[in-house]
Every structure is written in structure tokens, then in C-alpha cells.
Amino acid sequence: MDLRRLVYFVAVAEELHFGRAASRLAIAQPPLSRQIAQLESDLGVVLIDRSRSQIRLTQAGSVLLERARDVLERLDRTHREIKRIGEGFSGHLRVAFVGSATYGVLPNVIKAFRLAYPDVELALSAMNNAEQKRAVIQREIDIAVARPSLDDEELKSEPLLQEPLILALSDTSPLLEQQVTRLAALKAETFVLYPRKPRPSFADHILNICLEEGFIPKSQVLAQDYQTAISLVSVGVGIALVPQSVSQAERPGVAYRAYEGHNPGTALSLNYRRDNRMPHLFNFLKIAHDVTRRQRRQ
């Protein structure tokens, strides 16, 4: 069934006058009459009773009017929905992040995105770098918020945030009594490192920093993720070097201190497939960079 003829039929059925329907459709009356006649021929039924001076719908015409209105309304809704998805105002976006990214800028990015695009379903999941890399390459996620970045020829990586490292200590640690904590003086301490695997990872970044200070921690405890590592710190298992942003959230049993010594810092990045052109992704990237710039100015 020709959708254009359905539109013509609805106009005639609602106006019950070919002249007014033609004017409403901005076409001449003779072509309109021919289109309605062709629709009746295609269906093999009479839709409009023309036997009197005032036309009226047949029973078949009344049923078609009801169904045609429904079909055209569904098509209109579908068009609006697809257009909103195509413009990034609807649909879904899948974002994965490393555990330590849940502090600092990322929560504000999520809030800003949800405020700007309330009809986009945002699916969030925590993954380490290796899991993120596999998931984004296999199109299981759209954006990976990694530390520091994901390296693959299929991926594009955009820097989001560079921040210094700080010490995370148990709030009962004797180190808190020192005015200045020198990293080189901590070689006898137990270092809590994460993740345990895969390697190389953030754990190796910390070990390289210690090496620049002239030592390798003799005692090391490996945790699989940041949350586990900071929990171990809170009960006095050891100390950890962590991103400065994590200190913005209070954690029972944990105190944070700056230290003196080699501090190359750490970075967060936004990583996605180079062939991913979905508008939701670029809307998220823009908001993420805008939020980060605002926080830097504050």
C-alpha cells in the first residue's frame, strides 16, 4: 500500500470534500481524485461513497481511516525517535571506567551528561585497563575512561586529566606525625600496589617512581583493584601512592598526604574506536572536556 495515498485518503476522509482536501495537501483536485481511485482499485473496495452531493465514507473507508491514522502516527513517532537518536538526544551509551576514576572529575561528567541528555540511557561499568581494551575493541562498550590510556591502532585516546600522586596512609600511621614525608625514606614500608594483573599496569608505574628515588619496596602487597587496595591501607596493611583526586572523598581509616620526591603524576584518558561515529560519543567527549576545563579554573 502506497503511504502517500494513505496520506491523501486521510485528508479526504477528514475533510469529506475533495476540494478542501486538495487545498490542505497543496495539490490539484484531479490528481487527488485519481490517487484515491487508484487506492480503491488496489484494495478492491469502495472507500468513499460519491453517489450523493456530499461524499461520505463507506464501512471499509471508516475502518481504513482509523487504521491509516494509527499507521501514520506510528511512522511519525518512529521518524521523531530515529531523528533524536541520530542527533544524540536519545538511545544509549556504554561507558567503562577504572575504579579510581569514580573520584574527582568523572562523577561531575556523568551528572552533566545526564542533565544535558536525559533521554540517553547511560550504562556504566567498572573495568581495569585490560578489560576496557578488550571491551571497546569488541564494541561491548563505547567509551573507556582509562588510567593512563589504552594503546591500540584501532583506538583513539584523548587526554582528560593530569594530576599528581599523593600518599594514602592508615589514619593511625606514625608517618602522619612527620611534617614532611620523603618518598625515598619509605623503602622499609609495605607498599600496597594495584592491579595484581595484568601487567604492566599502574602498579609498575608506582614501582618505577620508587626506582627513580633509588629503591624498590622490599615488602609489596598486590590488590586487584583500587577499592581493595585502599581498604588494605585503611586497616594498616601498608601505604599506597594514589591519584590526588581520590582524597576528595573521605574514607574511614585513611589519611592522605603530599610527599617530596619524584612525582610524574598520573592521567585519565577517554578512549574509543576510531570508526565509532555515533553522536552520543562525541556529545559525551565534549561534556567531559568542558567539565574538566571548568574544574581546572576553580
Side-chain angles (χ1 to χ4, degrees):
M1 189 181 297
D2 191 321
L3 287 175
R4 181 185 57 174
R5 288 179 184 148
L6 274 187
V7 173
Y8 290 171
F9 170 74
V10 169
V12 173
E14 289 179 345
E15 297 292 342
L16 291 177
H17 191 282
F18 277 92
R20 289 195 298 269
S23 178
R24 168 174 155 182
L25 295 167
I27 62 174
Q29 183 174 332
L32 175 60
S33 298
R34 287 195 296 271
Q35 290 295 325
I36 299 301
Q38 186 61 55
L39 177 60
E40 291 177 316
S41 175
D42 292 342
L43 295 174
V45 297
V46 176
L47 300 172
I48 298 173
D49 185 353
R50 304 172 180 80
S51 61
R52 300 180 182 181
S53 57
Q54 182 178 2
I55 67 173
R56 63 183 180 86
L57 296 179
T58 64
Q59 185 175 347
S62 295
V63 172
L64 181 59
L65 174 60
E66 180 182 346
R67 300 294 188 272
R69 282 171 171 165
D70 182 58
V71 168
L72 295 175
E73 172 59 26
R74 286 171 182 265
L75 283 173
D76 185 58
R77 287 202 307 269
T78 300
H79 176 264
R80 292 197 304 269
E81 181 181 357
I82 291 174
K83 184 173 173 53
R84 283 180 61 79
I85 292 174
E87 293 174 346
F89 289 100
S90 185
H92 65 271
L93 183 70
R94 301 161 300 175
V95 180
F97 52 87
V98 291
S100 60
T102 55
Y103 305 91
V105 69
L106 184 59
N108 292 331
V109 171
I110 299 300
K111 290 177 184 177
F113 184 83
R114 282 181 165 156
L115 184 63
Y117 301 96
D119 294 330
V120 175
E121 179 187 351
L122 200 56
L124 304 172
S125 54
M127 298 181 184
N128 63 37
N129 277 12
E131 292 169 334
Q132 286 186 353
K133 183 175 180 178
R134 179 197 60 78
V136 73
I137 288 176
Q138 295 185 5
R139 306 179 194 276
E140 295 173 5
I141 60 173
D142 302 303
I143 300 176
V145 184
R147 190 182 295 279
S149 63
L150 304 181
D151 184 21
D152 190 276
E153 62 182 9
E154 292 188 59
L155 304 181
K156 184 172 182 180
S157 182
E158 297 185 11
L160 179 63
L161 177 70
Q162 178 74 30
E163 57 183 320
L165 295 167
I166 57 175
L167 281 171
L169 314 163
S170 166
D171 60 4
T172 60
S173 172
L175 293 173
L176 295 175
E177 299 174 6
Q178 301 178 9
Q179 267 194 334
V180 177
T181 301
R182 292 182 173 83
L183 187 59
L186 301 178
K187 59 184 177 181
E189 299 290 331
T190 297
F191 275 68
V192 180
L193 304 168
Y194 64 94
R196 180 184 297 111
K197 59 181 181 179
R199 305 287 287 274
S201 66
F202 185 72
D204 298 286
H205 179 54
I206 301 304
L207 291 174
N208 288 334
I209 292 172
C210 293
L211 194 59
E212 286 288 332
E213 288 292 299
F215 75 97
I216 296 176
K218 293 181 179 178
S219 179
Q220 302 174 18
V221 173
L222 291 170
Q224 187 50 39
D225 52 45
Y226 167 77
Q227 300 295 345
T228 304
I230 208 68
S231 295
L232 294 175
V233 170
S234 71
V235 296
V237 171
I239 65 174
L241 287 180
V242 297
Q244 185 183 52
S245 57
V246 305
S247 65
Q248 297 177 18
E250 290 187 9
R251 177 67 182 255
V254 181
Y256 301 97
R257 290 289 185 275
Y259 70 87
E260 283 192 358
H262 183 54
N263 193 338
T266 181
L268 278 179
S269 63
L270 301 169
N271 305 266
Y272 53 94
R273 288 187 59 93
R274 292 183 181 275
D275 59 0
N276 189 341
R277 309 305 300 172
M278 63 189 298
H280 312 71
L281 183 149
F282 295 104
N283 291 340
F284 187 92
L285 297 178
K286 182 179 184 304
I287 284 180
H289 290 305
D290 288 345
V291 169
T292 303
R293 281 192 292 268
R294 284 199 299 269
Q295 290 196 188
R296 284 179 187 149
R297 290 196 295 265
Q298 292 175 356

